Amino acid sequence: MDVGLIAAGVAALLVKPAGEEFARESGRAAWERMRELLQSVRRTLSRDTRGTEILAAAESDPQDESALQDLTGELQQRARGDESFAAILAEIVRVSHDNPRAGHITVEGQAQVGKIVSMGNIQGNVTF
């Protein structure tokens, strides 16, 4: 898997609302594992001023695209230089994808949403 895609996924989960959403929607065991992994990434970033500042900026305003891009770039750079860190990022993405209840829908801008239906495996008829 592309380290850029992995870094982008982890950056989104590191910012507070995304992590809280995962916690609400996932099972306890999956959340505990995810929390451990995310804490490991936070510890790694917090080892130096640059990482600390980039993470703080992204967490303080999760809607700031520039801050999220900076965080993604920092994660990419560190993953390319550290195989164990790259493995942790890949594990975060795997855990988030393994839980089908952790998916989310984001609507931005002037959009108006009527009805949204999300279904897993269905057998039989469905009527609305």
Side-chain angles (χ1 to χ4, degrees), residues 3 41-43 54 57 62-64 66 70 81 88 94 100-101 106 117 120 123 126:
V3 72
V41 172
R42 284 187 177 97
R43 279 191 303 273
I54 287 172
Q63 302 302 316
D64 182 347
S66 177
D70 289 345
I88 290 169
R94 188 196 63 75
R101 293 174 49 199
T106 302
V117 177
Q123 296 178 359
V126 176

Side-chain angles (χ1 to χ4, degrees), residues 47-98:
R47 289 182 187 149
D48 58 65
T49 304
R50 178 179 166 75
T52 300
E53 289 173 355
I54 287 172
L55 179 60
E59 287 181 327
S60 70
D61 186 2
Q63 302 302 316
D64 182 347
E65 288 293 322
S66 177
L68 194 56
Q69 287 174 356
D70 289 345
L71 179 57
T72 299
E74 186 68 17
L75 293 172
Q76 283 179 322
Q77 181 179 353
R78 290 176 188 242
R80 287 187 177 117
D82 181 346
E83 286 184 29
S84 64
F85 186 70
I88 290 169
L89 298 185
E91 177 71 1
I92 290 171
V93 172
R94 188 196 63 75
V95 169
S96 71
H97 283 275
D98 282 353

Side-chain angles (χ1 to χ4, degrees), residues 4-70:
L5 294 174
I6 291 172
V10 172
L13 287 168
L14 276 171
V15 297
K16 190 173 181 168
E20 289 174 356
E21 179 67 20
F22 187 89
R24 272 194 303 277
E25 298 299 329
S26 64
R28 184 165 186 76
W31 169 240
E32 288 300 319
R33 179 66 180 142
M34 178 63 77
R35 191 174 62 133
E36 290 170 12
L37 292 165
L38 292 174
Q39 283 303 103
S40 176
V41 172
R42 284 187 177 97
R43 279 191 303 273
T44 298
L45 290 172
S46 297
R47 289 182 187 149
D48 58 65
T49 304
R50 178 179 166 75
T52 300
E53 289 173 355
I54 287 172
L55 179 60
E59 287 181 327
S60 70
D61 186 2
Q63 302 302 316
D64 182 347
E65 288 293 322
S66 177
L68 194 56
Q69 287 174 356
D70 289 345

